Amino acid sequence: MFVKFSVLLLAGALVASPATYGAIVQKRAFPFVDPSIGGGSMLIDTLNGAGEPLNVIISGLSSPAVLNEDGIVNYARAIGFSEECLGIHLGNPFPANLGDGHGPVNQTIELRQDYGNSEVGTCLESLIGGNHFRVYFQNGPSADTGAAFLAVSKEKPVTDNHDIVDDGYNIGRNDLVSAALGTTSFDGVTYVTTAQNITGLMAAGAEGVNHGIAVDGIVTLLTVNIQ
């Protein structure tokens, strides 16, 4: 089901984000705020005049322990992703403006498909390609929802310069969502994830999209609760 969705920010209704994984704080009041309300965009800046879609959002109504860097990493491992091979990142970080008052901010972290091995599996992804995503938190003074915006795409092998596969933005989103839905766990933490497809946040088509690869205009909102 595709849902036309918009969220308005009510000043003063939000609380501070958890500083570390496992912190216990009150949940935010909103799942996210449309970045365009604050002058932002649902396309990250790939530094070449084009952008890549923020096609998955982890709701600010998720368990707070998920909505910080350590929490996202543990959750990613529960759904088949992990940190980059040997902690090495090749290429420039890409900024995004989530309309939260911070302006353009570089990605918090990039996570790659781990092919079933959270320790070294991402080295295989770096070689043969696969799914990966960049993470951005909406936590600025004008939209402190805590939501995690993900730019997800499926990429080609290193021999093809990690270019995006045909339809790779839609495929990457769908593969991540399929892996996330239901009950997953890692390192003693169990997650229950539900999903809702949203239209109206970004335009369908290839205009302004990196590599000229069209997107279908759908953003999937995940709500992740720790059991």
Side-chain angles (χ1 to χ4, degrees), residues 61-140:
L61 302 182
S62 300
S63 293
V66 177
L67 298 175
N68 56 80
E69 184 173 347
D70 289 342
I72 285 288
V73 169
N74 201 77
Y75 178 64
R77 288 172 171 164
I79 65 173
F81 296 81
S82 194
E83 295 167 287
E84 295 189 271
C85 177
L86 305 177
I88 299 171
H89 175 72
L90 299 178
N92 294 320
F94 292 158
N97 183 348
L98 300 185
D100 60 1
H102 279 325
V105 176
N106 282 341
Q107 65 205 43
T108 298
I109 193 169
E110 186 169 348
L111 297 158
R112 297 184 180 278
Q113 186 175 351
D114 67 14
Y115 290 99
N117 188 319
S118 63
E119 298 299 322
V120 296
T122 57
C123 296
L124 181 61
E125 195 279 341
S126 293
L127 289 174
I128 69 171
N131 217 4
H132 75 306
F133 63 94
R134 303 170 194 267
V135 181
Y136 306 83
F137 289 104
Q138 191 175 57
N139 56 12

Side-chain angles (χ1 to χ4, degrees), residues 1 5 27 31-32 55-63 66-67 75 79 148 150 173-174 176-184 190-198 219-227:
M1 179 178 66
F5 194 102
K27 284 187 178 181
F32 68 95
N55 47 12
V56 174
I57 301 172
I58 299 180
S59 169
L61 302 182
S62 300
S63 293
V66 177
L67 298 175
Y75 178 64
I79 65 173
L150 313 183
R173 177 201 61 212
N174 293 343
L176 183 147
V177 171
S178 293
L181 281 176
T183 302
T184 57
T190 299
Y191 305 92
V192 177
T193 302
T194 58
Q196 177 184 24
N197 285 334
I198 298 168
V219 177
T220 300
L221 179 69
L222 302 180
T223 302
V224 183
N225 287 300
I226 294 176
Q227 284 191 329

Side-chain angles (χ1 to χ4, degrees), residues 136-154:
Y136 306 83
F137 289 104
Q138 191 175 57
N139 56 12
S142 58
D144 187 13
T145 67
F149 285 62
L150 313 183
V152 191
S153 58
K154 186 170 183 178

Side-chain angles (χ1 to χ4, degrees), residues 6-9 33-41 98-99:
S6 63
V7 181
L8 297 179
L9 178 65
V33 170
D34 180 345
S36 68
I37 293 173
S41 173
L98 300 185

